[in-house]
Amino acid sequence: MSILSLTLFLGIILLTLTITYYSSKKTKNASDFYTAGGGLTAWQNGLAVAGDFMSAASFLGITGAIALIGFDGFYMSIGNLVAFLVLLYLVSEPLRNLGKFTLADMISARFKSKKVRGIAAANTLVISIFYMIAQLVGAGGLIKLLLGIDYWLSVLLVGILMTIYVIFGGMRATSWVQITKAVLLLGGSAVLTFIVFSRFNFNISEMFHHVQTATPLGKDFLNPGNKYTDGLDMISFNMSLVLGAAGLPHLLVRFFTVKDAATARKSVVYSTWFIGIFFIMTIFLGFGAASFVGFDRIVAANSAGNMAAPLLALTMGGEFLFAFVSAVAFATILAVVSGLVLTSASAFAHDIYGEIIKEGKITEKQQILVARMASVGVAVISILLALFAQSMNVAFLSVLALGIAASANLPIILCTIYWKRFNATGAITGMLFGLLSSIILVMLSPNVWNPEPGMGIFTGNPLFTMSNPTIFTVPLGFIGAYLGTILSKAKGEENNFPEVLFKSNTGYGISSAKDH
């Protein structure tokens, strides 16, 4: 570990702890803790959403994927970007108009059912914890590579920091950590992109021409099919990217941190620009890594290509840029896991404890105390699971989290907003169909069962041969919602549909997050 790297890492930690200190002074009630008092502006929330979405997997994984597999790595950039159009046009505004602190609040605006709220909260916990384990395992491996400290210590360090941010600063600290990380990530990527592009004389054609001779793939580098040879699997993978983001709880709760639906919509526009610019830059970074770092050197550092961006920084800018990019990757990990801890704690404290167990009869002071205790509990569980998962291929956890979000949450959100006949039974069956089908098919897939030792959790032939089941599980989520609705006798919810539709479109009768 160099002194420069250590200094920058400590600088990131000091900066985020300072943010948490000042945020804690402004966190007075439940609204402050869960939603930063609904006081973020559109550009602030846009940056925070971008910070939440531009994970280490995006920065390190997509750059490495483009460098190693060429065109197929580009699917990840496009899929993530298109996902925000779904958020912008279908989800963000009605979600902000109907919701309060959590995703379950939004669904419960139409269905006054403890079962609906409980299953929605359980979905949030499952998705967030699966997603967090994958992030923590990745963080442990990355920090071990970058700083040379043991895996368990890396996971523990990240786990302690994310818990401190959430316990003391709540959503306000989490948001500003994400904003800071987004600025650092966009700035660092821009510098690296500029240097790479200058090596190609700022000529796109020269860059595309050069990369065809720089990798073992040759001209195939720019053609599809280098990784995804099964068209159905490729479509399913992209469905999970495009539809999964619109159902990820830690992204959706960000729309409660602004004062109204118009600001929520504007924040999606801002975040789409920030994320779009970032994913365009990953193309330059991937092409630069392929051209100037080289296939063999990238694979030697990490077989999945996760070190492509730091190695590119080392090659282009020396030790300082390498240390800076590594520190930015560290900040990226901290910001994403903090958001996941807060979302999980909110689902337990607000939905399960406050609304189901205590039936809403709980003071704000008690609610914040339970949320802080839940944050510690979620962090401890996630750290322990991440420590046991060190040697596992955890890529399927991210796939599973996105798949559940797309299959269990998105169909219910859309049916709640747009289907008059939809009822509580349909909401329950839809969520269960999406949740269980995603878990079962992933557990039967090559991600878990693989005939090649070390490629899956177990050695053996998978019963379900596709690596991503989203193409089946999203329709199953809608089918579950439909069958549950038409086969049940409950029709009372139809009566409040006009009111829910009116509020979801206008926000009428919905006060700001502060006193809502």
Side-chain angles (χ1 to χ4, degrees), residues 204-493:
I204 291 285
S205 298
E206 185 176 331
M207 183 174 77
F208 274 74
H209 179 74
H210 182 272
V211 81
Q212 295 180 70
T213 61
T215 78
L217 293 174
K219 292 185 178 179
D220 288 338
F221 186 87
L222 298 177
N223 295 324
N226 295 320
K227 178 178 175 63
Y228 301 105
T229 54
D230 184 332
L232 204 60
D233 218 352
M234 185 269 291
I235 293 172
S236 189
F237 172 72
N238 278 284
M239 280 183 67
S240 68
L241 293 177
V242 172
L243 302 179
L248 281 178
H250 71 288
L251 279 183
L252 297 179
V253 298
R254 294 231 55 88
F255 298 114
F256 303 138
T257 64
V258 295
K259 63 180 181 180
D260 52 32
T263 311
R265 190 170 57 246
K266 288 178 184 175
S267 67
V268 178
V269 175
Y270 276 113
S271 61
T272 304
W273 274 105
F274 294 136
I275 292 168
I277 291 169
F278 170 74
F279 283 125
I280 288 173
M281 289 194 290
T282 60
I283 299 172
F284 289 85
L285 302 184
F287 278 32
S291 301
F292 304 117
V293 180
F295 182 90
D296 294 338
R297 197 171 156 212
I298 294 171
V299 173
N302 180 269
S303 60
N306 289 332
M307 288 299 288
L311 286 174
L312 177 65
L314 181 64
T315 305
M316 296 285 107
E319 286 291 338
F320 178 80
L321 197 53
F322 172 74
F324 177 75
V325 167
S326 300
V328 168
F330 179 59
T332 297
I333 292 167
L334 289 178
V336 173
V337 293
S338 301
L340 290 166
V341 170
L342 180 62
T343 304
S344 304
S346 302
F348 180 82
H350 177 68
D351 293 321
I352 296 176
Y353 185 79
E355 296 296 328
I356 297 177
I357 297 176
K358 302 296 286 186
E359 298 183 330
K361 299 171 184 174
I362 180 172
T363 65
E364 292 206 352
K365 188 176 180 181
Q366 291 172 323
Q367 197 165 157
I368 293 176
L369 177 62
V370 174
R372 285 172 168 156
M373 292 170 64
S375 301
V376 175
V378 168
V380 169
I381 292 171
S382 301
I383 290 170
L384 290 175
L385 291 174
L387 291 176
F388 284 110
Q390 177 185 359
S391 60
M392 292 169 52
N393 176 1
V394 294
F396 77 98
L397 290 177
S398 296
V399 176
L400 184 57
L402 282 168
I404 296 174
S407 310
N409 284 349
L410 187 59
I412 305 311
I413 293 171
L414 296 180
C415 289
T416 298
I417 299 168
Y418 299 109
W419 187 19
K420 181 179 180 181
R421 176 80 184 277
F422 193 43
N423 61 27
T425 306
I428 292 170
T429 54
M431 286 188 282
L432 290 178
F433 268 53
L435 173 68
L436 296 176
S437 63
S438 298
I439 292 176
I440 292 171
L441 289 180
V442 167
M443 291 303 165
L444 298 176
S445 74
N447 295 300
V448 177
W449 293 91
N450 200 297
E452 188 175 342
M455 297 302 292
I457 298 175
F458 304 110
T459 302
N461 293 317
L463 294 177
F464 180 73
T465 56
M466 291 176 60
S467 60
N468 191 306
T470 309
I471 196 170
F472 296 109
T473 56
V474 168
L476 282 172
F478 279 106
I479 290 171
Y482 176 76
L483 291 177
T485 298
I486 64 169
L487 296 178
S488 69
K489 296 180 180 179
K491 297 183 179 178
E493 288 86 0

Side-chain angles (χ1 to χ4, degrees), residues 56-351:
S58 302
F59 178 51
L60 303 173
I62 293 178
T63 300
I66 292 175
L68 295 182
I69 60 176
F71 187 92
D72 282 6
F74 187 60
Y75 286 136
M76 299 183 197
S77 299
I78 290 296
N80 284 316
L81 186 56
V82 174
F84 273 77
L85 297 179
V86 179
L87 267 174
L88 174 63
Y89 289 109
L90 297 179
V91 176
S92 63
E93 187 168 341
L95 184 78
R96 177 61 189 87
N97 279 337
L98 294 176
K100 183 181 177 184
F101 296 146
T102 65
L103 176 60
D105 279 338
M106 179 264 182
I107 300 172
S108 298
R110 183 169 177 189
F111 307 117
K112 310 299 181 186
S113 165
K114 288 185 179 179
K115 291 180 181 176
V116 171
R117 182 182 285 276
I119 294 173
N123 273 354
T124 295
L125 285 169
V126 170
I127 293 169
S128 299
I129 289 179
F130 279 160
Y131 208 76
M132 190 152 39
I133 294 170
Q135 296 288 329
L136 285 174
V137 172
L142 178 68
I143 295 171
K144 182 181 177 183
L145 279 172
L146 295 176
L147 296 182
I149 59 178
D150 290 341
Y151 171 85
W152 69 269
L153 190 57
S154 303
V155 171
L156 194 61
L157 174 65
V158 173
I160 290 173
L161 286 172
M162 72 185 186
T163 309
I164 290 173
Y165 301 151
V166 174
I167 286 179
F168 294 103
M171 179 59 89
R172 196 180 302 277
T174 303
S175 298
W176 280 102
V177 168
Q178 286 162 342
I179 290 170
T180 304
K181 157 269 180 92
V183 171
L184 289 172
L185 185 57
L186 287 168
S189 299
V191 170
L192 207 47
T193 297
F194 180 84
I195 296 173
V196 168
F197 203 27
S198 69
R199 296 295 182 93
F200 295 112
N201 299 313
F202 301 103
N203 186 320
I204 291 285
S205 298
E206 185 176 331
M207 183 174 77
F208 274 74
H209 179 74
H210 182 272
V211 81
Q212 295 180 70
T213 61
T215 78
L217 293 174
K219 292 185 178 179
D220 288 338
F221 186 87
L222 298 177
N223 295 324
N226 295 320
K227 178 178 175 63
Y228 301 105
T229 54
D230 184 332
L232 204 60
D233 218 352
M234 185 269 291
I235 293 172
S236 189
F237 172 72
N238 278 284
M239 280 183 67
S240 68
L241 293 177
V242 172
L243 302 179
L248 281 178
H250 71 288
L251 279 183
L252 297 179
V253 298
R254 294 231 55 88
F255 298 114
F256 303 138
T257 64
V258 295
K259 63 180 181 180
D260 52 32
T263 311
R265 190 170 57 246
K266 288 178 184 175
S267 67
V268 178
V269 175
Y270 276 113
S271 61
T272 304
W273 274 105
F274 294 136
I275 292 168
I277 291 169
F278 170 74
F279 283 125
I280 288 173
M281 289 194 290
T282 60
I283 299 172
F284 289 85
L285 302 184
F287 278 32
S291 301
F292 304 117
V293 180
F295 182 90
D296 294 338
R297 197 171 156 212
I298 294 171
V299 173
N302 180 269
S303 60
N306 289 332
M307 288 299 288
L311 286 174
L312 177 65
L314 181 64
T315 305
M316 296 285 107
E319 286 291 338
F320 178 80
L321 197 53
F322 172 74
F324 177 75
V325 167
S326 300
V328 168
F330 179 59
T332 297
I333 292 167
L334 289 178
V336 173
V337 293
S338 301
L340 290 166
V341 170
L342 180 62
T343 304
S344 304
S346 302
F348 180 82
H350 177 68
D351 293 321

